[in-house]
Amino acid sequence: MEEEGIVKRPSEGGESNGTGAADGISAVIPGWFSEMSPMWPGEAHSLKVEKILYQGKSEYQNVMVFESATYGKVLVLDGVIQVTERDECAYQEMITHLPLCSIQNPKKVLVIGGGDGGVLREVSRYSSIEQIDICEIDKMVVDVSKQFFPNLAVGFEDPRVNLHIGDGVAFLKVVPVGTYDAVIVDSSDPIGPAQELFEKPFFESVAKALRPGGVVCTQAESIWLHMHIIEDIVSNCRQVFKGSVKYAWTTVPTYPSGVIGFMLCSTDGPPVDFQNPVHLIDERDELNKTKGPLKFYNPEIHYASFCLPSFAKRVISSKTN
Amino acid sequence: MEEEGIVKRPSEGGESNGTGAADGISAVIPGWFSEMSPMWPGEAHSLKVEKILYQGKSEYQNVMVFESATYGKVLVLDGVIQVTERDECAYQEMITHLPLCSIQNPKKVLVIGGGDGGVLREVSRYSSIEQIDICEIDKMVVDVSKQFFPNLAVGFEDPRVNLHIGDGVAFLKVVPVGTYDAVIVDSSDPIGPAQELFEKPFFESVAKALRPGGVVCTQAESIWLHMHIIEDIVSNCRQVFKGSVKYAWTTVPTYPSGVIGFMLCSTDGPPVDFQNPVHLIDERDELNKTKGPLKFYNPEIHYASFCLPSFAKRVISSKTN
């Protein structure tokens, strides 16, 4: 069995402690990929591997693609699942349309991270948009997506897209003040290359890059697993963004605990009511007809994503508005 | 390591095919419990086991309790996680308060299944309720819960509770017509002892047992994994229940795909608007003060749980009202 030597087993009598994730192939069941991390100790989600399609090590991280038995192709960075073909619609559609449906006629959008192209695919549904900049740190992610995930990488084909390979933090420092209507931060977890994207100086750069009343949406972890991280993100954002600060969340089966959150903020300026979208995606629009209908997002699920379970509401609501 | 011989490994070179679940201990990582089932092929969720507390085989199923590293105590039936102390609040509160907050002054409630007592704990928050009947097929589940899950089994201590050990299908056949304001079906998956609870004759018995405008809430699987089962349940319910038929869902990290759904139906009679609760749980109420605040349920999450992603809405909404 070809994968036998690649998808590793723990040593006899030992236990997996998440360090295997550094190899990008932390599997513990022969023929299966198991996702283990100190970010979610004591639990692991495993997918049956049909075939490993790619393994590489970039300057920043381990990159792996495999064909799974029941979730289609899977992209893994440093041992953590980023995308599966079966459920990527939930994440890509929500992180994009929650901010972009909250403002009228977005024209200039910046994506930080998002090198797989899935967010670009969704951003390019808006005919009002004139310029889509993306700054991804790791060229290998872009190349791998173009090779193995055509339904994500299709996002790069839009002529409005300008791809920058580089550090998002550095990129933002030289952006002229007030450039963007929206910034979408599609990052991995705050362990590894994405760490700075969860810190206050980064949010300050984002705020400067946005026009008055501009919006940002960042990947913001799981209410079940990372309430302490979320609490910090909310506090930082509350200090930096003088408009609205709101937390939303949705279901993604292959992310730890099955949910992922989003931090939505707006700068001082025309008020933004994140929970009640002002823009409705018109599926008859030419751009959307060619892309096919949305699989996940709709105005009701937009509204619902801001409703929090009581345990999360008690922590988050005191800090949001 | 004591668990080494109990939490099994697959044979060399072989692969787990879900049949291990029949042993109730389908683990494949040494020292971990892995949940595998033909109901969700190609994926497995694993929890690190600190100590196995109980293993038994009842007339109906394998019953196991273990102390996990990060989810508290875990109840497993036929290899499938039913309850963890860390996330049980989401399931118990939603399956109970979605139906009971949709009607005024419920007086008589029947629980089918739910032998762990968690649903009873939630039902007994209502001071209007006079009679709580529960019919659980497997006495071992009740006994094990009383021994290991005091925060669930507390539900049995309410003097309004009448416990019947027996088959829910048979129990319903002898219930006088129009007895209950609400029936809650807290069942396991439709493989094993709960199979009949997903079939049309069962729904017909439930409808007969309800008063006009009475409500039922049944566990109704995952929109990510079991849309074909959900479609059948909705079709059956649409034929049987002449009032409202609605589908809701929520997050439960330790259930497959991280979500679980609920089928909510009302009988012919006073109309029921499931999405907009008419009853608000009063946490100052004496019964609630002793139980402590709700961890998960609130009126906003009630409303939000009926908002479906587009892929699910397209299938379900054509059949509901």
Side-chain angles (χ1 to χ4, degrees), chain A residues 57-68:
Chain A
K57 190 167 167 53
S58 75
E59 195 181 336
Y60 301 100
Q61 55 202 345
N62 292 287
V63 179
M64 178 168 72
V65 178
F66 68 86
E67 182 74 45
S68 69

Side-chain angles (χ1 to χ4, degrees), chain A:
Chain A
M1 193 173 165
E2 193 192 351
E3 291 84 0
E4 191 76 40
I6 299 169
V7 181
K8 296 187 302 185
R9 309 183 67 162
S11 55
E12 289 297 317
E15 73 182 50
S16 298
N17 57 11
T19 54
D23 302 314
I25 38 170
S26 60
V28 284
I29 311 175
W32 290 61
F33 167 82
S34 291
E35 186 186 60
M36 302 176 104
S37 165
M39 288 277 292
W40 43 91
E43 65 180 310
H45 190 243
S46 305
L47 294 176
K48 188 166 188 286
V49 176
E50 291 294 330
K51 189 174 170 56
I52 295 196
L53 300 174
Y54 182 86
Q55 283 189 97
K57 190 167 167 53
S58 75
E59 195 181 336
Y60 301 100
Q61 55 202 345
N62 292 287
V63 179
M64 178 168 72
V65 178
F66 68 86
E67 182 74 45
S68 69
T70 52
Y71 277 78
K73 285 201 277 291
V74 181
L75 172 65
V76 179
L77 300 179
D78 276 350
V80 177
I81 293 171
Q82 304 294 315
V83 160
T84 84
E85 289 183 311
R86 181 159 158 197
D87 65 3
E88 55 91 7
C89 62
Y91 178 77
Q92 320 282 4
E93 294 184 16
M94 293 299 275
I95 198 171
T96 306
H97 303 306
L98 287 177
L100 294 185
C101 284
S102 295
I103 54 175
Q104 296 282 9
N105 297 317
K107 287 194 170 57
K108 291 186 180 183
V109 176
L110 170 64
V111 179
I112 303 277
D116 56 58
V119 169
L120 297 176
R121 179 190 71 203
E122 295 306 315
V123 172
S124 61
R125 287 182 184 271
Y126 294 76
S127 54
S128 68
I129 290 179
E130 296 162 0
Q131 180 181 333
I132 307 170
D133 293 335
I134 174 167
C135 186
E136 161 64 49
I137 200 166
D138 195 344
K139 184 168 181 294
M140 190 181 280
V141 174
V142 178
D143 293 341
V144 157
S145 184
K146 287 181 176 172
Q147 190 177 351
F148 297 106
F149 296 91
N151 291 335
L152 295 166
V154 67
F156 288 104
E157 290 171 18
D158 191 294
R160 296 168 292 178
V161 169
N162 311 299
L163 171 61
H164 304 262
I165 298 295
D167 174 20
V169 175
F171 182 88
L172 271 171
K173 281 189 183 142
V174 296
V175 165
V177 170
T179 298
Y180 295 105
D181 299 285
V183 175
I184 297 170
V185 187
D186 174 15
S187 70
S188 45
D189 292 316
I191 291 181
Q195 191 180 337
E196 282 188 88
L197 307 185
F198 291 80
E199 293 169 2
K200 197 171 162 193
F202 174 73
F203 292 124
E204 287 166 341
S205 301
V206 170
K208 268 180 57 189
L210 286 170
R211 67 157 169 84
V215 294
V216 58
C217 181
T218 76
Q219 187 271 96
E221 302 298 333
S222 159
I223 52 172
W224 285 106
L225 296 172
H226 303 123
M227 200 51 111
H228 54 294
I229 299 178
I230 295 170
E231 208 174 344
D232 286 349
I233 297 174
V234 175
S235 294
N236 285 337
C237 287
R238 182 67 284 171
Q239 288 170 49
V240 171
F241 293 95
K242 303 305 180 190
S244 302
V245 174
K246 283 281 187 185
Y247 189 86
W249 61 302
T250 198
T251 160
V252 182
T254 56
Y255 287 172
S257 83
V259 305
I260 191 78
F262 307 103
M263 195 72 232
L264 287 134
C265 309
S266 68
T267 55
D268 201 17
V272 175
D273 176 1
F274 280 117
Q275 191 162 10
N276 295 290
V278 292
H279 181 92
L280 298 179
I281 293 171
D282 185 354
E283 302 220 340
R284 293 162 307 176
D285 185 303
E286 197 56 44
L287 287 172
N288 285 306
K289 269 199 286 190
T290 50
K291 281 179 204 303
L294 293 166
K295 290 178 183 163
F296 193 90
Y297 177 89
N298 57 53
E300 301 98 78
I301 209 88
H302 179 127
Y303 180 91
S305 69
F306 291 89
C307 300
L308 300 174
S310 296
F311 72 83
K313 193 179 162 187
R314 282 192 276 267
V315 176
I316 294 172
S317 291
S318 63
K319 295 186 167 67
T320 55
N321 61 342

Side-chain angles (χ1 to χ4, degrees), chain A residues 32 48, chain B residues 8 10 14-28 34-44 62 78-80 191:
Chain A
W32 290 61
K48 188 166 188 286
Chain B
K8 295 188 301 185
E15 74 182 51
S16 298
N17 57 12
T19 54
D23 303 314
I25 37 169
S26 61
V28 282
S34 291
E35 186 187 61
M36 303 175 104
S37 164
M39 287 277 291
W40 43 92
E43 66 180 308
N62 292 288
D78 276 351
V80 178
I191 290 181

